């Protein structure tokens, strides 16, 4: 659980950066589909992601790579299911714990 929490904390922060930088885009006429601009390529996220992290580190974070987290956060923050962005360490930890459940 400690390694998983650490991995998710890093991925949650990176996912928020994707949103802040405008690198998450909904796909027109395809609900629940998003394009997330990674460092070297773009990923289509539709509840799953095909990036190497999602494929090879699945046991560590149950498929919640930074691209998939970014799409989920985008849905919540931009499309209407708005939740507060964690501002304290305790709030960030709660958000990570919520993702793990």
């Amino acid at each position: 659980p400690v390694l998983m929490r650490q991995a998710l904390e890093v991925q949650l922060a990176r996912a928020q950066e994707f949103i802040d930088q405008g690198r998450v885009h909904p796909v027109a006429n395809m609900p629940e589909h998003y394009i997330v601009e990674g460092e070297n390529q773009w990923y289509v996220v539709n509840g799953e992601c095909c990036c190497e992290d999602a494929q090879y580190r699945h046991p560590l974070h149950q498929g919640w790579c930074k691209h998939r987290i970014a799409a989920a956060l985008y849905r919540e923050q931009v499309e209407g299911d708005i939740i507060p962005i964690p501002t304290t360490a305790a709030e960030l930890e709660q958000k990570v714990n919520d993702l793990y459940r």
Side-chain angles (χ1 to χ4, degrees):
V2 172
L3 290 178
M4 182 179 294
R5 179 178 303 198
Q6 290 172 340
L8 286 172
E9 286 175 356
V10 169
Q11 289 171 314
L12 182 60
R14 189 67 180 119
Q16 186 61 53
E17 287 178 17
F18 286 153
I19 293 168
D20 295 343
Q21 295 169 357
R23 296 169 61 185
V24 180
H25 315 280
V27 178
N29 300 319
M30 294 182 74
E32 304 290 322
H33 286 68
Y34 300 87
I35 300 293
V36 180
E37 299 176 43
E39 285 80 22
N40 299 315
Q41 69 185 73
W42 294 22
Y43 298 93
V44 176
V45 178
N46 61 350
E48 295 182 3
C49 184
C50 64
C51 73
E52 290 183 11
D53 189 42
Q55 293 177 10
Y56 300 115
R57 296 180 68 206
H58 188 276
L60 180 62
H61 52 59
Q62 305 300 308
W64 283 98
C65 67
K66 60 190 170 193
H67 311 108
R68 188 172 170 206
I69 293 171
L73 290 175
Y74 183 90
R75 261 193 322 271
E76 293 174 345
Q77 295 173 9
V78 178
E79 291 184 344
D81 286 335
I82 299 175
I83 58 166
I85 298 171
T87 57
T88 67
E91 289 175 344
L92 180 60
E93 183 173 342
Q94 183 61 47
K95 180 70 173 174
V96 170
N97 288 335
D98 289 347
L99 287 173
Y100 178 60
R101 291 184 194 143

